[in-house]
Amino acid sequence: TRKIVATVTTIPQRLLRLAWVLRTVDWDLVDEVHINIPMVSLRGLAYDEAHIAQIHQLHEKIRIFRIDEDFGPITKILP
């Protein structure tokens, strides 16, 4: 069988909205959700580490990857 992995990235201002979106995922349909979050956004904004920790705790299938550089929308699949 094939593994189904959903990937996503976000900007600092939408980080809390991402938590809402993840609460709507049908976890029976995916094996993992990879969230690629740069250390700093393209606009130089930092991500709230406490919010990242909250998102990580929403489900055991969530994997968060912190990356050094923000490449824009392609960041969701590039790393």
Side-chain angles (χ1 to χ4, degrees):
T1 65
R2 293 188 179 179
K3 188 175 184 178
I4 298 174
V5 178
T7 63
V8 66
T9 191
T10 190
I11 59 175
Q13 302 91 317
R14 294 186 184 150
L15 193 56
L16 287 179
R17 290 184 199 169
L18 180 59
W20 180 84
V21 169
L22 291 169
R23 287 185 188 99
T24 68
V25 170
D26 183 345
W27 294 101
D28 293 330
L29 297 178
V30 296
D31 295 303
E32 292 182 354
V33 173
H34 291 186
I35 305 171
N36 299 321
I37 302 176
M39 300 308 279
V40 178
S41 74
L42 280 174
R43 296 185 179 172
L45 302 173
Y47 291 81
D48 186 314
E49 296 299 326
H51 292 157
I52 292 171
Q54 289 174 355
I55 289 170
H56 192 237
Q57 304 222 344
L58 289 175
H59 199 278
E60 62 192 23
K61 292 183 178 181
I62 294 174
R63 306 284 181 261
I64 294 181
F65 300 94
R66 299 305 305 272
I67 58 174
D68 292 329
E69 189 173 349
D70 187 351
F71 297 101
I74 194 131
T75 300
K76 70 178 96 355
I77 60 172
L78 189 60

